[in-house]
Amino acid sequence: MEKSYYEMLKSGLEDAVAFSKGDTSRCRVIEVEIPDPVPAPAYKAADVVRTRQALNLTQRALAKAMGVPTETVEEWENGKVEPSGIASRFLFLLDGDHSLVDRLTALQ
């Protein structure tokens, strides 16, 4: 006879409780080590302008592709604010592969 959803859920929760108490005999444990990411280069105002122009985008279009307000791109390009770590990584990826812009704008 097939187990009911309740029985499967109860069994899964019992396995989780056993695991939290150190009993790994009822489950499979896979440990994955993720290396520290290589820091992306810092993007300064001139770098953001160069990247945007190389992508043939307006400030508004770059902002839309990156999911940030247009004002943010303006502040980056005016040197008022530097792109955050994740924004710098994103710009680095866009700079290296211009086809990403097409893929990003196709999602919208």
Side-chain angles (χ1 to χ4, degrees), residues 21-95:
K21 294 180 179 178
D23 178 5
T24 58
S25 65
R26 297 164 64 167
C27 61
R28 179 176 54 159
V29 177
I30 299 172
E31 291 185 29
V32 178
E33 186 173 325
I34 300 173
D36 291 334
V38 175
Y43 273 74
K44 304 291 184 193
D47 300 317
V48 177
V49 172
R50 177 190 49 76
T51 299
R52 180 179 59 77
Q53 290 175 344
L55 294 166
N56 197 29
L57 296 175
T58 63
Q59 288 178 338
R60 183 176 182 202
L62 177 61
K64 188 173 182 178
M66 292 185 68
V68 300
T70 303
E71 294 78 17
T72 300
V73 174
E74 291 170 1
E75 290 175 345
W76 291 342
E77 291 190 2
N78 292 330
K80 291 181 182 176
V81 177
E82 286 188 10
S84 66
I86 191 69
S88 289
R89 287 180 165 286
F90 204 171
L91 287 164
F92 175 75
L93 291 173
L94 292 173
D95 207 9

